[in-house]
Amino acid sequence: MFARGLKRKCVGHEEDVEGALAGLKTVSSYSLQRQSLLDMSLVKLQLCHMLVEPNLCRSVLIANTVRQIQEEMTQDGTWRAVAPQAAERAPLDHLVSTEILCRAAWGQEGAHPAPGLGDGHTQGPVSDLCPVTSAQAPRHLQSSAWEMDGPRENRGSFHKSLDQIFETLETKNPSCMEELFSDVDSPYYDLDTVLTGMMGGARPGPCEGLEGLAPATPGPSSSCKSDLGELDHVVEILVET
Amino acid sequence: MGEDTDTRKINHSFLRDHSYVTEADIISTVEFNHTGELLATGDKGGRVVIFQREPESKNAPHSQGEYDVYSTFQSHEPEFDYLKSLEIEEKINKIKWLPQQNAAHSLLSTNDKTIKLWKITERDKRPEGYNLKDEEGKLKDLSTVTSLQVPVLKPMDLMVEVSPRRIFANGHTYHINSISVNSDCETYMSADDLRINLWHLAITDRSFNIVDIKPANMEDLTEVITASEFHPHHCNLFVYSSSKGSLRLCDMRAAALCDKHSKLFEEPEDPSNRSFFSEIISSVSDVKFSHSGRYMLTRDYLTVKVWDLNMEARPIETYQVHDYLRSKLCSLYENDCIFDKFECAWNGSDSVIMTGAYNNFFRMFDRNTKRDVTLEASRESSKPRAVLKPRRVCVGGKRRRDDISVDSLDFTKKILHTAWHPAENIIAIAATNNLYIFQDKVPGLVRFPERSGVGFVFCVPVSSSDSPAIC
């Protein structure tokens, strides 16, 4: 920090600055660690989409951890501050990775989700996790992570997240990283369950669903948007309009 | 040996000391019956293997009976839930023996959704000398029958027959984590993440819900049931543990729905140790009543605790299983090891408690002397008749020979399931797909090493069976 031999002109002031700098470093490294823990937890919740029903205890514990972090970050006032930073850091990576996954998923023929299979729990748990609505975020997080009953509820949340996808892709302007990441992921995960269910009894392991679909022959180079037109049609059937 | 090296190189993700580990062979539960004569194991492939202790031979009075395979059967098959488009695993989560009431043995085995009652019978005689049928079962020509005879029972090779007597299905929406037979021998309970049901052993189409912690709005869910057990003597009392580290003792006489606990056992959080992982490591993975019924044993991620039923405020004893992991919680969270559910066990006299850990280590704590020991279940360290050597994990500082450093622990080798014979010092340890049975050389005595490092008395019995499962 300070080179040795530097005379201390004003002991009090420099000590304060030193202390403050040191404090800042520990604070920023703590908040970095905390952020990475938050990211890790969110990824873990999303990866709960296996062929077998996810472990509810594990999901609850992870969700509680996420809520703790969010509460602390809200108290610190760092909740809003961190999000845009993160968005700057790697929005493109997320866009690319999810787009590829989307493409591979949609590439499968006849992949129309059957009614009643659009389980609520397959929603990206981060679907509503936007800094602006931090108070509501934990609720939605939890509901989507393990909502398992009532096809009506499922259809509702399915529809809702699709709205967000349309919105996001229309604007192509990620306001917050998590929102974009999760929303684009949502339809993929819904399809994931459907497709793996259709794959005639093959039983992939925890992350095999992802790997299994990625190398699939990529469909036509049509954008996600045109494929979503198809999805729109399906949703109409589901909500019986 | 060369083959082994190649397999090791190629399949470093599997266990190191064996070649491929089939996932279906991973043992998922171990349970002695009430006399200790039988030992049942369940695996991920839905199979149950029962071992029987050979009677002590008169020729060698000091050598105790060893366990051989008695019966193997497929308990559960994989199923597909078409409504949710999800698979139902056939993995056996728990096995509980029913107290023996006649010549047959019975046990309950459960996967995530369905409990089955199996009856195990022996047949060692068969009738011979029928009048109308010949030995092959074909009808005799009546003109050849000149006299009548009474069929006699002749001995035959022992045949063990297993049949499913009851199937208790559709009782649970969530995954079943525990079953427990009541001391009344008529009822039993099954617990999933949010509900506990009471069944009668003879009735399969009906069960009573006795605990329901599902919130009206699933968004408010923050706590789940992790384990439950009936009191060994009082048929109205049972306990269930939660993911927040609390225990609730319930009395079925109080109400039909036991949502209000009679007693709540909870230890206040230590503020100095608080971290983002505090809640996760406080989640109770197993709860067991002592044989006396006076105490409860709980296992959370880093400790085992003994609770006195008369004191709700805090446990009376706390033992550190592997406190050196406390500084590694973040990595263990990353690789999901922090969610591992270890079980715990009492010995017959409630004086020693046992639980598993990583690196195929398991730990024993003597409640009276407060001494503890770490032992390893592995092929290398367990030659037949060998005495188990205590192991030590060094955390830096002085390192003795044979010590293992924390960083070289193998977290894929975890001992989640252990069982202790109800009366004798015989323990069964499940290490992934292998079952280890250790017994005490000197009956009735468990010795813990002194500082001089005297070897622990448990030793490995010579296995006389061909089964690859016993080591």
Short mmCIF file of all heavy atoms in Angstrom, two decimals, chain A residues 30 34 37 40-41 44 51-53 56-58 60 62 64-65 67-69 72 117 119 139 142-143 146 149 203, chain B residues 83-87 90 113 174-175 193 214 218-222 224 243 274 276-277 279-280 333-334 336 339 341:
data_model
loop_
_atom_site.label_atom_id
_atom_site.label_comp_id
_atom_site.label_asym_id
_atom_site.label_seq_id
_atom_site.Cartn_x
_atom_site.Cartn_y
_atom_site.Cartn_z
N TYR A 30 -14.82 -9.36 0.70
CA TYR A 30 -15.96 -10.05 1.32
C TYR A 30 -17.16 -9.99 0.40
O TYR A 30 -17.85 -10.99 0.19
CB TYR A 30 -16.28 -9.41 2.68
CG TYR A 30 -17.55 -9.93 3.31
CD1 TYR A 30 -17.58 -11.18 3.93
CD2 TYR A 30 -18.73 -9.20 3.26
CE1 TYR A 30 -18.74 -11.67 4.48
CE2 TYR A 30 -19.90 -9.68 3.82
CZ TYR A 30 -19.90 -10.91 4.43
OH TYR A 30 -21.06 -11.41 4.97
N ARG A 34 -19.09 -12.97 -1.31
CA ARG A 34 -20.52 -13.10 -1.08
C ARG A 34 -21.27 -13.18 -2.40
O ARG A 34 -22.18 -13.97 -2.58
CB ARG A 34 -21.01 -11.92 -0.24
CG ARG A 34 -22.45 -12.01 0.18
CD ARG A 34 -22.82 -10.89 1.11
NE ARG A 34 -22.60 -9.58 0.53
CZ ARG A 34 -22.80 -8.45 1.19
NH1 ARG A 34 -23.19 -8.46 2.44
NH2 ARG A 34 -22.58 -7.29 0.60
N LEU A 37 -20.77 -16.49 -3.93
CA LEU A 37 -21.59 -17.48 -3.23
C LEU A 37 -23.02 -17.39 -3.72
O LEU A 37 -23.69 -18.42 -3.95
CB LEU A 37 -21.53 -17.24 -1.71
CG LEU A 37 -22.28 -18.24 -0.85
CD1 LEU A 37 -21.71 -19.63 -1.00
CD2 LEU A 37 -22.24 -17.84 0.62
N MET A 40 -23.18 -18.89 -7.19
CA MET A 40 -23.08 -20.35 -7.09
C MET A 40 -24.40 -20.94 -6.64
O MET A 40 -24.86 -21.96 -7.17
CB MET A 40 -21.98 -20.69 -6.06
CG MET A 40 -21.46 -22.10 -6.16
SD MET A 40 -20.65 -22.63 -4.63
CE MET A 40 -19.45 -21.34 -4.38
N SER A 41 -25.02 -20.30 -5.66
CA SER A 41 -26.29 -20.81 -5.13
C SER A 41 -27.37 -20.78 -6.19
O SER A 41 -28.15 -21.72 -6.33
CB SER A 41 -26.73 -20.00 -3.93
OG SER A 41 -25.71 -19.95 -2.97
N LYS A 44 -26.86 -23.54 -8.57
CA LYS A 44 -27.24 -24.82 -7.95
C LYS A 44 -28.74 -25.02 -8.00
O LYS A 44 -29.22 -26.11 -8.25
CB LYS A 44 -26.80 -24.84 -6.49
CG LYS A 44 -25.38 -25.27 -6.29
CD LYS A 44 -25.08 -25.34 -4.80
CE LYS A 44 -23.64 -25.67 -4.56
NZ LYS A 44 -23.25 -26.94 -5.19
N LEU A 51 -33.96 -35.48 -14.13
CA LEU A 51 -35.07 -36.32 -14.53
C LEU A 51 -35.85 -36.76 -13.30
O LEU A 51 -37.06 -36.93 -13.32
CB LEU A 51 -34.56 -37.54 -15.29
CG LEU A 51 -35.66 -38.31 -16.03
CD1 LEU A 51 -36.37 -37.39 -17.01
CD2 LEU A 51 -35.07 -39.49 -16.75
N VAL A 52 -35.10 -36.93 -12.20
CA VAL A 52 -35.75 -37.28 -10.95
C VAL A 52 -36.10 -35.99 -10.24
O VAL A 52 -35.44 -34.98 -10.43
CB VAL A 52 -34.79 -38.11 -10.07
CG1 VAL A 52 -35.48 -38.59 -8.83
CG2 VAL A 52 -34.22 -39.26 -10.86
N GLU A 53 -37.12 -36.05 -9.42
CA GLU A 53 -37.52 -34.84 -8.69
C GLU A 53 -36.36 -34.34 -7.84
O GLU A 53 -35.68 -35.13 -7.18
CB GLU A 53 -38.69 -35.16 -7.76
CG GLU A 53 -40.02 -34.81 -8.37
CD GLU A 53 -41.17 -35.22 -7.46
OE1 GLU A 53 -41.35 -36.42 -7.25
OE2 GLU A 53 -41.84 -34.32 -6.95
N LEU A 56 -35.79 -31.80 -2.15
CA LEU A 56 -36.44 -30.61 -1.60
C LEU A 56 -35.63 -30.00 -0.48
O LEU A 56 -35.49 -28.78 -0.38
CB LEU A 56 -37.84 -30.98 -1.11
CG LEU A 56 -38.70 -29.81 -0.66
CD1 LEU A 56 -38.98 -28.88 -1.80
CD2 LEU A 56 -40.00 -30.31 -0.05
N CYS A 57 -35.06 -30.83 0.38
CA CYS A 57 -34.27 -30.32 1.50
C CYS A 57 -33.11 -29.48 1.00
O CYS A 57 -32.87 -28.37 1.47
CB CYS A 57 -33.77 -31.49 2.33
SG CYS A 57 -32.83 -31.00 3.77
N ARG A 58 -32.41 -29.99 0.02
CA ARG A 58 -31.27 -29.26 -0.52
C ARG A 58 -31.71 -27.93 -1.12
O ARG A 58 -31.10 -26.90 -0.88
CB ARG A 58 -30.59 -30.14 -1.58
CG ARG A 58 -29.41 -29.54 -2.28
CD ARG A 58 -28.79 -30.55 -3.24
NE ARG A 58 -27.76 -29.96 -4.06
CZ ARG A 58 -27.99 -29.36 -5.22
NH1 ARG A 58 -29.21 -29.28 -5.69
NH2 ARG A 58 -26.99 -28.84 -5.91
N VAL A 60 -34.34 -26.16 -0.40
CA VAL A 60 -34.75 -25.23 0.66
C VAL A 60 -33.53 -24.61 1.32
O VAL A 60 -33.48 -23.41 1.56
CB VAL A 60 -35.62 -25.96 1.71
CG1 VAL A 60 -35.82 -25.09 2.94
CG2 VAL A 60 -36.96 -26.33 1.12
N ILE A 62 -30.51 -24.21 0.10
CA ILE A 62 -29.84 -23.28 -0.81
C ILE A 62 -30.64 -21.98 -0.92
O ILE A 62 -30.08 -20.88 -0.86
CB ILE A 62 -29.64 -23.89 -2.21
CG1 ILE A 62 -28.75 -25.13 -2.14
CG2 ILE A 62 -29.04 -22.87 -3.16
CD1 ILE A 62 -28.67 -25.90 -3.44
N ASN A 64 -32.63 -20.70 1.26
CA ASN A 64 -32.47 -19.93 2.51
C ASN A 64 -31.14 -19.20 2.51
O ASN A 64 -31.04 -18.07 2.99
CB ASN A 64 -32.55 -20.86 3.73
CG ASN A 64 -33.96 -21.35 3.98
OD1 ASN A 64 -34.91 -20.89 3.35
ND2 ASN A 64 -34.11 -22.28 4.90
N THR A 65 -30.11 -19.84 2.00
CA THR A 65 -28.80 -19.20 1.93
C THR A 65 -28.86 -17.98 1.02
O THR A 65 -28.33 -16.91 1.35
CB THR A 65 -27.73 -20.19 1.40
OG1 THR A 65 -27.82 -21.40 2.14
CG2 THR A 65 -26.34 -19.61 1.52
N ARG A 67 -31.45 -16.22 0.35
CA ARG A 67 -32.22 -15.17 1.01
C ARG A 67 -31.39 -14.44 2.04
O ARG A 67 -31.45 -13.22 2.17
CB ARG A 67 -33.47 -15.75 1.65
CG ARG A 67 -34.41 -14.66 2.11
CD ARG A 67 -35.86 -15.06 2.24
NE ARG A 67 -36.10 -16.44 2.51
CZ ARG A 67 -36.24 -16.96 3.73
NH1 ARG A 67 -36.15 -16.21 4.78
NH2 ARG A 67 -36.47 -18.24 3.87
N GLN A 68 -30.57 -15.20 2.78
CA GLN A 68 -29.69 -14.57 3.78
C GLN A 68 -28.76 -13.57 3.11
O GLN A 68 -28.57 -12.46 3.59
CB GLN A 68 -28.82 -15.62 4.44
CG GLN A 68 -29.41 -16.26 5.67
CD GLN A 68 -28.42 -17.25 6.26
OE1 GLN A 68 -27.34 -16.85 6.69
NE2 GLN A 68 -28.76 -18.51 6.26
N ILE A 69 -28.18 -13.99 2.00
CA ILE A 69 -27.24 -13.11 1.30
C ILE A 69 -27.97 -11.88 0.81
O ILE A 69 -27.49 -10.75 0.96
CB ILE A 69 -26.58 -13.84 0.11
CG1 ILE A 69 -25.78 -15.04 0.59
CG2 ILE A 69 -25.68 -12.89 -0.67
CD1 ILE A 69 -25.24 -15.90 -0.52
N GLU A 72 -28.70 -9.52 3.63
CA GLU A 72 -27.51 -8.80 4.06
C GLU A 72 -27.13 -7.73 3.04
O GLU A 72 -26.76 -6.62 3.39
CB GLU A 72 -26.35 -9.78 4.24
CG GLU A 72 -25.26 -9.22 5.15
CD GLU A 72 -24.09 -10.17 5.25
OE1 GLU A 72 -23.18 -10.04 4.42
OE2 GLU A 72 -24.10 -11.01 6.16
N LEU A 117 -47.37 -30.71 -18.38
CA LEU A 117 -45.99 -31.08 -18.11
C LEU A 117 -45.15 -29.86 -17.80
O LEU A 117 -44.01 -29.96 -17.44
CB LEU A 117 -45.38 -31.81 -19.32
CG LEU A 117 -45.89 -33.24 -19.49
CD1 LEU A 117 -45.29 -33.86 -20.73
CD2 LEU A 117 -45.55 -34.08 -18.29
N ASP A 119 -44.18 -28.03 -15.56
CA ASP A 119 -44.13 -27.92 -14.11
C ASP A 119 -43.59 -26.59 -13.66
O ASP A 119 -42.65 -26.08 -14.24
CB ASP A 119 -43.20 -29.00 -13.54
CG ASP A 119 -43.94 -30.32 -13.48
OD1 ASP A 119 -45.16 -30.31 -13.65
OD2 ASP A 119 -43.29 -31.33 -13.30
N ARG A 139 -39.44 -14.74 -2.48
CA ARG A 139 -40.68 -15.50 -2.60
C ARG A 139 -40.75 -16.24 -3.92
O ARG A 139 -41.01 -17.41 -3.99
CB ARG A 139 -41.87 -14.54 -2.50
CG ARG A 139 -41.97 -13.93 -1.13
CD ARG A 139 -43.04 -12.86 -1.08
NE ARG A 139 -43.31 -12.56 0.31
CZ ARG A 139 -44.22 -13.21 1.02
NH1 ARG A 139 -44.95 -14.15 0.46
NH2 ARG A 139 -44.40 -12.92 2.29
N GLN A 142 -38.39 -19.12 -4.21
CA GLN A 142 -38.77 -20.35 -3.55
C GLN A 142 -39.89 -21.05 -4.28
O GLN A 142 -39.87 -22.24 -4.46
CB GLN A 142 -39.19 -20.06 -2.11
CG GLN A 142 -37.99 -19.77 -1.25
CD GLN A 142 -38.38 -19.09 0.02
OE1 GLN A 142 -39.18 -18.15 -0.01
NE2 GLN A 142 -37.85 -19.52 1.13
N SER A 143 -40.88 -20.26 -4.71
CA SER A 143 -42.03 -20.91 -5.31
C SER A 143 -41.62 -21.65 -6.56
O SER A 143 -42.04 -22.76 -6.80
CB SER A 143 -43.11 -19.89 -5.66
OG SER A 143 -42.65 -19.08 -6.72
N TRP A 146 -39.53 -25.16 -6.00
CA TRP A 146 -40.11 -26.44 -5.62
C TRP A 146 -41.61 -26.51 -5.75
O TRP A 146 -42.25 -27.32 -5.14
CB TRP A 146 -39.71 -26.84 -4.21
CG TRP A 146 -39.95 -25.77 -3.22
CD1 TRP A 146 -41.13 -25.36 -2.71
CD2 TRP A 146 -38.95 -24.96 -2.60
NE1 TRP A 146 -40.94 -24.36 -1.80
CE2 TRP A 146 -39.62 -24.08 -1.71
CE3 TRP A 146 -37.56 -24.90 -2.71
CZ2 TRP A 146 -38.94 -23.14 -0.96
CZ3 TRP A 146 -36.90 -23.98 -1.95
CH2 TRP A 146 -37.59 -23.11 -1.09
N ASP A 149 -47.24 -28.83 -7.23
CA ASP A 149 -48.62 -29.27 -7.45
C ASP A 149 -49.47 -28.24 -8.15
O ASP A 149 -49.16 -27.08 -8.20
CB ASP A 149 -49.28 -29.69 -6.13
CG ASP A 149 -48.66 -28.99 -4.95
OD1 ASP A 149 -48.57 -27.74 -5.02
OD2 ASP A 149 -48.26 -29.64 -4.00
N ARG A 203 -31.78 -42.36 -18.76
CA ARG A 203 -31.76 -41.69 -17.47
C ARG A 203 -30.46 -40.92 -17.30
O ARG A 203 -29.47 -41.46 -16.84
CB ARG A 203 -31.90 -42.71 -16.34
CG ARG A 203 -33.26 -43.33 -16.35
CD ARG A 203 -33.61 -43.87 -14.98
NE ARG A 203 -33.01 -45.17 -14.74
CZ ARG A 203 -32.62 -45.59 -13.56
NH1 ARG A 203 -32.73 -44.82 -12.53
NH2 ARG A 203 -32.09 -46.78 -13.42
N LEU B 83 -47.63 -38.17 -14.68
CA LEU B 83 -48.25 -36.87 -14.47
C LEU B 83 -47.21 -35.77 -14.37
O LEU B 83 -47.35 -34.68 -14.90
CB LEU B 83 -49.11 -36.91 -13.21
CG LEU B 83 -50.12 -35.78 -13.06
CD1 LEU B 83 -51.13 -35.83 -14.21
CD2 LEU B 83 -50.84 -35.90 -11.73
N LYS B 84 -46.13 -36.07 -13.67
CA LYS B 84 -45.11 -35.05 -13.49
C LYS B 84 -43.94 -35.22 -14.45
O LYS B 84 -43.01 -34.42 -14.44
CB LYS B 84 -44.57 -35.10 -12.07
CG LYS B 84 -45.58 -34.71 -11.02
CD LYS B 84 -44.91 -34.70 -9.64
CE LYS B 84 -45.95 -34.57 -8.55
NZ LYS B 84 -45.36 -34.76 -7.23
N SER B 85 -43.97 -36.27 -15.22
CA SER B 85 -42.87 -36.55 -16.16
C SER B 85 -41.55 -36.70 -15.42
O SER B 85 -40.53 -36.15 -15.83
CB SER B 85 -42.77 -35.42 -17.17
OG SER B 85 -42.44 -35.94 -18.42
N LEU B 86 -41.59 -37.40 -14.31
CA LEU B 86 -40.39 -37.57 -13.52
C LEU B 86 -40.24 -39.02 -13.13
O LEU B 86 -41.21 -39.74 -12.93
CB LEU B 86 -40.46 -36.72 -12.24
CG LEU B 86 -40.38 -35.22 -12.45
CD1 LEU B 86 -40.76 -34.51 -11.17
CD2 LEU B 86 -38.98 -34.81 -12.86
N GLU B 87 -38.99 -39.41 -12.96
CA GLU B 87 -38.73 -40.78 -12.54
C GLU B 87 -38.83 -40.90 -11.03
O GLU B 87 -38.51 -39.97 -10.31
CB GLU B 87 -37.32 -41.17 -12.96
CG GLU B 87 -37.23 -41.56 -14.39
CD GLU B 87 -36.22 -42.66 -14.58
OE1 GLU B 87 -35.54 -43.03 -13.61
OE2 GLU B 87 -36.11 -43.14 -15.71
N GLU B 90 -35.59 -46.19 -7.59
CA GLU B 90 -35.83 -47.44 -6.88
C GLU B 90 -34.92 -47.58 -5.66
O GLU B 90 -34.99 -48.58 -4.94
CB GLU B 90 -35.63 -48.63 -7.83
CG GLU B 90 -34.20 -48.84 -8.30
CD GLU B 90 -33.81 -47.99 -9.49
OE1 GLU B 90 -34.37 -46.88 -9.65
OE2 GLU B 90 -32.94 -48.44 -10.28
N LYS B 113 -41.23 -43.20 -2.56
CA LYS B 113 -42.69 -43.04 -2.57
C LYS B 113 -43.48 -44.19 -1.98
O LYS B 113 -44.61 -43.97 -1.54
CB LYS B 113 -43.17 -42.86 -4.03
CG LYS B 113 -42.61 -41.65 -4.71
CD LYS B 113 -43.30 -40.39 -4.30
CE LYS B 113 -42.80 -39.22 -5.10
NZ LYS B 113 -43.46 -37.97 -4.81
N TYR B 174 -44.10 -36.05 -1.37
CA TYR B 174 -42.68 -35.72 -1.35
C TYR B 174 -41.87 -36.98 -1.04
O TYR B 174 -42.44 -38.04 -0.86
CB TYR B 174 -42.43 -34.58 -0.35
CG TYR B 174 -43.26 -33.37 -0.68
CD1 TYR B 174 -44.48 -33.14 -0.03
CD2 TYR B 174 -42.88 -32.50 -1.69
CE1 TYR B 174 -45.27 -32.07 -0.38
CE2 TYR B 174 -43.67 -31.42 -2.04
CZ TYR B 174 -44.86 -31.21 -1.39
OH TYR B 174 -45.65 -30.15 -1.75
N HIS B 175 -40.57 -36.83 -0.99
CA HIS B 175 -39.72 -38.02 -0.85
C HIS B 175 -39.66 -38.53 0.58
O HIS B 175 -39.34 -37.78 1.50
CB HIS B 175 -38.30 -37.69 -1.34
CG HIS B 175 -38.24 -37.47 -2.80
ND1 HIS B 175 -37.08 -37.14 -3.47
CD2 HIS B 175 -39.19 -37.54 -3.77
CE1 HIS B 175 -37.32 -37.01 -4.76
NE2 HIS B 175 -38.59 -37.23 -4.96
N ASP B 193 -40.59 -35.02 3.24
CA ASP B 193 -40.05 -33.70 3.55
C ASP B 193 -41.02 -32.81 4.31
O ASP B 193 -40.60 -31.93 5.05
CB ASP B 193 -39.65 -32.98 2.25
CG ASP B 193 -38.52 -33.70 1.53
OD1 ASP B 193 -37.52 -34.04 2.20
OD2 ASP B 193 -38.64 -33.92 0.32
N LYS B 214 -46.44 -28.36 5.66
CA LYS B 214 -46.48 -27.67 4.37
C LYS B 214 -47.19 -26.33 4.57
O LYS B 214 -48.30 -26.29 5.07
CB LYS B 214 -47.25 -28.52 3.36
CG LYS B 214 -47.25 -27.92 1.99
CD LYS B 214 -48.01 -28.77 0.99
CE LYS B 214 -48.00 -28.03 -0.34
NZ LYS B 214 -48.90 -28.53 -1.33
N MET B 218 -46.47 -22.18 -0.84
CA MET B 218 -45.15 -22.83 -0.92
C MET B 218 -44.00 -21.83 -0.95
O MET B 218 -42.87 -22.17 -0.67
CB MET B 218 -45.08 -23.75 -2.15
CG MET B 218 -45.71 -25.09 -1.94
SD MET B 218 -44.88 -26.08 -0.66
CE MET B 218 -43.73 -27.02 -1.65
N GLU B 219 -44.31 -20.61 -1.29
CA GLU B 219 -43.25 -19.60 -1.30
C GLU B 219 -42.73 -19.34 0.11
O GLU B 219 -41.64 -18.82 0.28
CB GLU B 219 -43.80 -18.29 -1.88
CG GLU B 219 -44.09 -18.38 -3.36
CD GLU B 219 -44.74 -17.11 -3.87
OE1 GLU B 219 -45.05 -16.22 -3.05
OE2 GLU B 219 -44.94 -17.00 -5.07
N ASP B 220 -43.55 -19.69 1.11
CA ASP B 220 -43.13 -19.46 2.49
C ASP B 220 -42.36 -20.63 3.07
O ASP B 220 -42.04 -20.62 4.25
CB ASP B 220 -44.36 -19.21 3.38
CG ASP B 220 -45.13 -17.98 2.94
OD1 ASP B 220 -44.49 -17.07 2.37
OD2 ASP B 220 -46.35 -17.95 3.15
N LEU B 221 -42.06 -21.63 2.27
CA LEU B 221 -41.38 -22.81 2.79
C LEU B 221 -39.94 -22.51 3.11
O LEU B 221 -39.16 -22.09 2.24
CB LEU B 221 -41.46 -23.95 1.77
CG LEU B 221 -40.78 -25.25 2.20
CD1 LEU B 221 -41.49 -25.86 3.39
CD2 LEU B 221 -40.75 -26.24 1.04
N THR B 222 -39.55 -22.73 4.38
CA THR B 222 -38.15 -22.52 4.74
C THR B 222 -37.58 -23.69 5.52
O THR B 222 -36.40 -23.70 5.84
CB THR B 222 -37.99 -21.25 5.61
OG1 THR B 222 -38.83 -21.39 6.75
CG2 THR B 222 -38.34 -20.00 4.84
N VAL B 224 -37.84 -28.12 6.31
CA VAL B 224 -38.40 -29.42 5.95
C VAL B 224 -38.08 -30.44 7.04
O VAL B 224 -37.19 -30.24 7.87
CB VAL B 224 -37.86 -29.94 4.59
CG1 VAL B 224 -38.20 -28.99 3.46
CG2 VAL B 224 -36.38 -30.19 4.66
N SER B 243 -34.65 -29.28 9.05
CA SER B 243 -33.47 -28.77 8.36
C SER B 243 -32.92 -27.53 9.06
O SER B 243 -31.86 -27.04 8.69
CB SER B 243 -33.84 -28.43 6.92
OG SER B 243 -34.92 -27.51 6.90
N ARG B 274 -21.09 -17.82 13.45
CA ARG B 274 -22.12 -17.64 12.44
C ARG B 274 -21.53 -17.37 11.06
O ARG B 274 -20.62 -16.59 10.90
CB ARG B 274 -23.02 -16.46 12.86
CG ARG B 274 -24.29 -16.49 12.11
CD ARG B 274 -25.29 -15.45 12.56
NE ARG B 274 -26.12 -15.06 11.43
CZ ARG B 274 -26.89 -15.88 10.76
NH1 ARG B 274 -26.95 -17.14 11.11
NH2 ARG B 274 -27.59 -15.49 9.74
N PHE B 276 -22.73 -17.88 6.51
CA PHE B 276 -23.83 -18.16 5.59
C PHE B 276 -24.19 -19.64 5.59
O PHE B 276 -25.24 -20.03 5.13
CB PHE B 276 -23.48 -17.72 4.16
CG PHE B 276 -23.54 -16.24 3.96
CD1 PHE B 276 -22.43 -15.53 3.55
CD2 PHE B 276 -24.72 -15.56 4.19
CE1 PHE B 276 -22.49 -14.16 3.36
CE2 PHE B 276 -24.79 -14.18 4.01
CZ PHE B 276 -23.67 -13.48 3.59
N PHE B 277 -23.26 -20.45 6.09
CA PHE B 277 -23.48 -21.89 6.08
C PHE B 277 -24.02 -22.41 7.40
O PHE B 277 -24.25 -23.60 7.55
CB PHE B 277 -22.19 -22.61 5.73
CG PHE B 277 -21.56 -22.12 4.45
CD1 PHE B 277 -20.38 -21.40 4.46
CD2 PHE B 277 -22.18 -22.37 3.25
CE1 PHE B 277 -19.83 -20.93 3.29
CE2 PHE B 277 -21.63 -21.91 2.06
CZ PHE B 277 -20.45 -21.18 2.08
N GLU B 279 -26.84 -22.33 8.87
CA GLU B 279 -28.10 -23.07 8.85
C GLU B 279 -27.93 -24.44 8.22
O GLU B 279 -28.43 -25.44 8.71
CB GLU B 279 -29.17 -22.28 8.10
CG GLU B 279 -30.53 -22.93 8.27
CD GLU B 279 -31.60 -22.28 7.40
OE1 GLU B 279 -31.72 -21.05 7.46
OE2 GLU B 279 -32.28 -23.03 6.66
N ILE B 280 -27.18 -24.48 7.12
CA ILE B 280 -27.02 -25.75 6.42
C ILE B 280 -26.34 -26.77 7.31
O ILE B 280 -26.74 -27.94 7.38
CB ILE B 280 -26.21 -25.57 5.11
CG1 ILE B 280 -26.92 -24.59 4.19
CG2 ILE B 280 -26.02 -26.91 4.43
CD1 ILE B 280 -26.19 -24.34 2.90
N TYR B 333 -19.63 -26.70 0.06
CA TYR B 333 -20.91 -26.24 -0.48
C TYR B 333 -20.86 -26.31 -2.00
O TYR B 333 -21.81 -26.73 -2.64
CB TYR B 333 -21.16 -24.80 -0.02
CG TYR B 333 -22.45 -24.18 -0.52
CD1 TYR B 333 -23.67 -24.57 0.01
CD2 TYR B 333 -22.43 -23.19 -1.49
CE1 TYR B 333 -24.85 -23.99 -0.42
CE2 TYR B 333 -23.60 -22.61 -1.92
CZ TYR B 333 -24.81 -23.01 -1.39
OH TYR B 333 -25.98 -22.43 -1.82
N GLU B 334 -19.73 -25.95 -2.54
CA GLU B 334 -19.59 -25.97 -4.00
C GLU B 334 -19.72 -27.37 -4.57
O GLU B 334 -20.39 -27.58 -5.57
CB GLU B 334 -18.22 -25.38 -4.36
CG GLU B 334 -18.12 -24.98 -5.80
CD GLU B 334 -16.79 -24.28 -6.10
OE1 GLU B 334 -15.93 -24.21 -5.19
OE2 GLU B 334 -16.64 -23.83 -7.23
N ASP B 336 -21.19 -29.82 -3.17
CA ASP B 336 -22.42 -30.42 -2.65
C ASP B 336 -22.21 -31.35 -1.47
O ASP B 336 -23.17 -31.94 -0.97
CB ASP B 336 -23.17 -31.19 -3.74
CG ASP B 336 -24.23 -30.32 -4.39
OD1 ASP B 336 -24.22 -29.09 -4.14
OD2 ASP B 336 -25.07 -30.87 -5.11
N PHE B 339 -24.26 -31.18 1.80
CA PHE B 339 -25.62 -31.72 1.90
C PHE B 339 -25.64 -33.21 2.20
O PHE B 339 -26.71 -33.82 2.25
CB PHE B 339 -26.40 -31.44 0.61
CG PHE B 339 -26.50 -29.98 0.28
CD1 PHE B 339 -25.78 -29.44 -0.77
CD2 PHE B 339 -27.29 -29.14 1.05
CE1 PHE B 339 -25.85 -28.08 -1.06
CE2 PHE B 339 -27.37 -27.79 0.77
CZ PHE B 339 -26.65 -27.25 -0.29
N LYS B 341 -25.92 -36.60 3.99
CA LYS B 341 -26.66 -36.95 5.20
C LYS B 341 -26.04 -38.16 5.87
O LYS B 341 -26.22 -39.29 5.43
CB LYS B 341 -28.12 -37.27 4.82
CG LYS B 341 -28.82 -36.02 4.38
CD LYS B 341 -30.31 -36.22 4.20
CE LYS B 341 -30.86 -34.93 3.63
NZ LYS B 341 -31.95 -34.36 4.24
#
